[in-house]
Amino acid sequence: MANPLALIVDDEPDIRELLEITLGRMKIDTESADSLDQAYQHLNHKTFDLCLTDMNLPDGNGIDLVKYIQQKYSKTPVAMITAYGNMDTAITALKAGAFDFVSKPVDLQRLRDLVSSALKLNKPHHDTKKTTSEIKLLGESKAIKQLRKQVIKLARSQAPVYISGESGSGKELVARLIHDEGPRVDAPFIPVNCGAIPTELMESEFFGHKKGSFTGAVNDKPGLFQAADNGTLFLDEVADLPMSMQVKLLRAIQEKSIRPVGTETEIKVDVRILSATHKDLSQLVNEGSFRQDLFYRINVIELKVPPLRDRSEDIPLLSEHFLQKIANSCDLDPPKLSNEALTTLKNYPFPGNVRELENTLERAFTLCEEDLIKKDDLRLSDIDSNSLLTIQDKSLPVEGVSSLEDYLEDLERKAIVQALEETRWNKTAAAKKLGITFRALRYRLKKLDLE
């Protein structure tokens, strides 16, 4: 099997020689060029698996080469060699379509990691890792087809991507698919909800800590950056980061290194950053609550996820998928949607997007009779669309409740067990006693792990 072939473009002989030797030791053949014109000649006569180019060349700049390769040889990843600390140049290159960048003086380990990642791009993927996200990014609408194309393109880059969209529209699924379609597929995908971490624990959670560095630090603990090393860190609800953490996150992204709490030495990390929020980050920057320089770093490329109301033609396909998924979870056949119910779904604005559609169908699944979901089973006019139980008795003992969802689930479990005991575990009689369908009881027994 032939060795991979790389094109090295730099007008400094010493740099070219260093890159040739380093790649040669990785069993990668090389061709070299000292100008744009020479690079174009090589590209027109041979197929390359990778291109490394300097920014400043005698007859132009590396950005022109990046654009040329993107247009004519899109399967060939290009990495930009930039001056030390020049992040503006690096970001410009990434926006133009560069796979990644490495700064001078060239860190050879960083170069080897970059080259290894780039060469994985055109290798066949492992289908097993992609199944979950591919199935859920369903739809045949123009908007969703365009989104899938953008995801495939962005998966070939290492550029930070900012995923914008309304709550429930599927931003994490998009982030996971970018990871699954890229060269980091065999490394971890670590999602983190930035709004769910207490401020005082945030630095430790992201960067880790050393034993004894603060009260409660009884062991050394790696952080999220280390957990995602060689993979992808997905920062969901990034707008919720406090200003103090924004500064530290910016430095970690720029330097590609972190310092765990209580240590003096920095640790190199190779992490691709994807971020998302349902808030308007540009507005938060203007208001002064989100750092402009961090916004500039994470928003190299913005990817917009369309709301469900802009792709209502996808609702039948999504509905079929969700009903099959719910049915599989409790070993039942999926019910059908009546024409009237389907029309109602297609005309409903779904402010909660795909997540609300799934919740609506889950509720209708438990309410419907004779394997047919009717319009009334959807209950889209109900105020409470997410809970099967509503507390009306204000005297209920809610003191000490840490999770409303767990509390309601416990009440539901107790009511079902009581009904089953009173009917000697006759499920049909228990369902009647509870005033729900047999299907609803089967579903809840499975969900509450009571079978």
Side-chain angles (χ1 to χ4, degrees), residues 261-280:
V261 177
T263 66
E264 297 299 324
T265 55
E266 292 199 333
I267 300 170
K268 287 286 184 184
V269 286
D270 176 21
V271 172
R272 185 179 189 185
I273 299 290
L274 304 178
S275 57
T277 182
H278 69 282
K279 297 178 181 177
D280 186 338

Side-chain angles (χ1 to χ4, degrees), residues 6-13 15-17 19-20 30-43 48 51-54 56-59 65:
L7 175 61
I8 297 169
V9 187
D10 200 302
D11 62 341
E12 295 182 48
I15 297 289
R16 288 202 305 273
E17 185 178 4
L19 297 177
E20 287 166 358
T30 58
E31 296 275 355
S32 294
D34 60 11
S35 65
L36 278 179
D37 185 60
Q38 201 172 35
Y40 293 148
Q41 290 179 42
H42 279 302
L43 286 163
F48 291 91
C51 175
L52 297 170
T53 179
D54 191 21
N56 298 311
L57 296 165
D59 52 349
L65 183 58

Side-chain angles (χ1 to χ4, degrees), residues 248-266:
K248 290 167 181 166
L249 182 63
L250 174 64
R251 189 179 189 286
I253 293 172
Q254 288 186 164
E255 301 299 324
K256 296 184 182 291
S257 64
I258 56 158
R259 185 166 65 86
V261 177
T263 66
E264 297 299 324
T265 55
E266 292 199 333

Side-chain angles (χ1 to χ4, degrees), residues 7 24 108 117 130 143 210-211 253 272 330 427:
L7 175 61
L108 294 184
S117 290
K130 299 192 293 178
K210 187 179 179 182
K211 179 181 177 181
I253 293 172
R272 185 179 189 185
C330 51
K427 292 177 183 176

Side-chain angles (χ1 to χ4, degrees), residues 183-348:
R184 296 175 182 264
V185 61
D186 293 319
F189 173 86
I190 305 293
V192 52
N193 187 326
C194 298
I197 305 174
T199 303
E200 63 273 15
L201 297 178
M202 201 161 272
E203 186 175 0
S204 168
E205 286 294 313
F206 274 102
F207 307 135
H209 63 250
K210 187 179 179 182
K211 179 181 177 181
S213 56
F214 55 85
T215 304
V218 293
N219 293 302
D220 289 354
K221 179 191 172 187
L224 293 164
F225 268 85
Q226 287 163 283
D229 197 23
N230 296 314
T232 302
L233 184 61
F234 174 55
L235 305 175
D236 198 8
E237 298 306 339
V238 70
D240 292 338
L241 285 171
M243 197 64 79
S244 58
M245 193 60 211
Q246 291 179 31
V247 177
K248 290 167 181 166
L249 182 63
L250 174 64
R251 189 179 189 286
I253 293 172
Q254 288 186 164
E255 301 299 324
K256 296 184 182 291
S257 64
I258 56 158
R259 185 166 65 86
V261 177
T263 66
E264 297 299 324
T265 55
E266 292 199 333
I267 300 170
K268 287 286 184 184
V269 286
D270 176 21
V271 172
R272 185 179 189 185
I273 299 290
L274 304 178
S275 57
T277 182
H278 69 282
K279 297 178 181 177
D280 186 338
L281 266 192
S282 299
Q283 184 179 335
L284 295 179
V285 169
N286 293 334
E287 293 171 357
S289 58
F290 198 86
R291 290 183 65 97
Q292 185 173 31
D293 46 7
L294 178 59
F295 177 63
Y296 187 44
R297 296 295 183 263
I298 65 174
N299 189 28
V300 172
I301 298 169
E302 181 176 357
L303 182 62
K304 294 182 179 179
V305 181
L308 185 56
R309 63 182 171 276
D310 286 353
R311 56 183 191 103
S312 58
E313 61 266 48
D314 291 332
I315 285 176
L317 185 60
L318 288 166
S319 298
E320 183 181 345
H321 165 68
F322 287 134
L323 288 172
Q324 184 65 61
K325 174 186 167 185
I326 297 163
N328 290 344
S329 72
C330 51
D331 300 322
L332 290 170
D333 292 327
K336 301 291 184 185
L337 278 165
S338 71
N339 291 336
E340 191 180 19
L342 188 56
T343 300
T344 300
L345 288 174
K346 290 175 75 173
N347 291 332
Y348 183 70

Side-chain angles (χ1 to χ4, degrees), residues 121 150-158 178 181-183 272:
L121 279 173
Q150 291 172 309
V151 163
I152 298 300
K153 183 176 180 181
L154 293 176
R156 295 183 60 81
S157 165
Q158 294 303 293
I178 291 173
E181 289 288 345
R272 185 179 189 185

